Amino acid sequence: FSAFGIGALDTVEEPEEPDSTKWKEDWDRVHIQADIDVGAAGLQHSYVIDRNTLVSTTLAMSANGTKNDVHRLDDQLVLQRDELIDSRTGRYTLATSLTRKLGGGASVVSGIVLHHLRYDQTFGAFDDTARAADGALGRYVLAVDEDGAADLYQAYTQARLSLARVLELNAGVHVQRFS
């Protein structure tokens, strides 16, 4: 058995300049907070059945998050949301394969890979052309607010035959279903 894992977190924040007399460009009135998080972990096991047969199995999970939250000081010096990107994704994977050496430079690898995918995404931005509830021009518009899951199933088999020291023939079939 072997275990593996890696991850990272990062945050960047840039505050707005609250004193409008110090603004040199439009960016000075913007407050931005950006967060990124990534990670993966899993277990892997290989078992030698006999000198010609190997079974390998991996169970893993990974996650990724990105958030970019931008606010902008309006002309009355009130922070208003200007943009939001918030994306969270994850994947759970189970993969197993059987490798068999057939002799004479031939081998066959067959396996399955199962993925369960998760997502939660929110995207929005300030639209200068949209009307607010009070009739004023310009408002924050939420474009995407979705979360859900999907599954990806795969199966494959591949045969390899060494025809000469520098010539190898590979043939295989890979099928998948996404739902």
Side-chain angles (χ1 to χ4, degrees):
F1 275 97
S2 62
F4 59 89
I6 190 168
L9 300 171
D10 192 20
T11 296
V12 175
E13 182 170 11
E14 183 174 325
E16 74 284 359
E17 171 53 62
D19 183 352
S20 63
T21 63
K22 294 181 180 180
W23 294 350
K24 292 182 177 57
E25 54 188 74
D26 197 48
W27 185 255
D28 294 332
R29 61 171 49 192
V30 173
H31 178 105
I32 185 168
Q33 168 98 29
D35 301 302
I36 297 172
D37 52 83
V38 295
L43 298 171
Q44 197 276 334
H45 181 257
S46 294
Y47 180 74
V48 177
I49 294 176
D50 60 41
R51 52 178 243 154
N52 293 319
T53 310
L54 174 70
V55 175
S56 295
T57 301
T58 302
L59 178 62
M61 65 85 52
S62 63
N64 181 345
T66 302
K67 185 173 185 179
N68 190 36
D69 197 2
V70 180
H71 289 77
R72 184 176 179 277
L73 285 171
D74 64 14
D75 292 338
Q76 288 74 41
L77 303 179
V78 176
L79 275 177
Q80 303 290 334
R81 175 163 275 148
D82 193 56
E83 176 183 277
L84 174 64
I85 299 171
D86 190 358
S87 175
R88 309 275 169 215
T89 60
R91 175 191 308 217
Y92 302 96
T93 300
L94 173 63
T96 189
S97 66
L98 174 73
T99 302
R100 177 90 175 144
K101 292 181 185 176
L102 302 175
S107 65
V108 174
V109 178
S110 298
I112 60 168
V113 182
L114 311 173
H115 295 290
H116 179 69
L117 311 166
R118 302 272 318 146
Y119 65 91
D120 184 358
Q121 300 189 339
T122 305
F123 303 119
F126 189 83
D127 183 351
D128 292 332
T129 64
R131 294 236 177 243
D134 64 2
L137 197 55
R139 68 179 173 92
Y140 175 79
V141 177
L142 186 62
V144 174
D145 189 11
E146 295 291 329
D147 64 87
D151 295 301
L152 175 61
Y153 308 102
Q154 301 176 74
Y156 62 91
T157 188
Q158 176 181 318
R160 187 189 72 188
L161 178 61
S162 294
L163 302 173
R165 271 193 261 172
V166 294
L167 184 60
E168 195 172 88
L169 175 66
N170 284 303
V173 175
H174 184 165
V175 297
Q176 60 185 10
R177 180 172 191 273
F178 184 77
S179 63

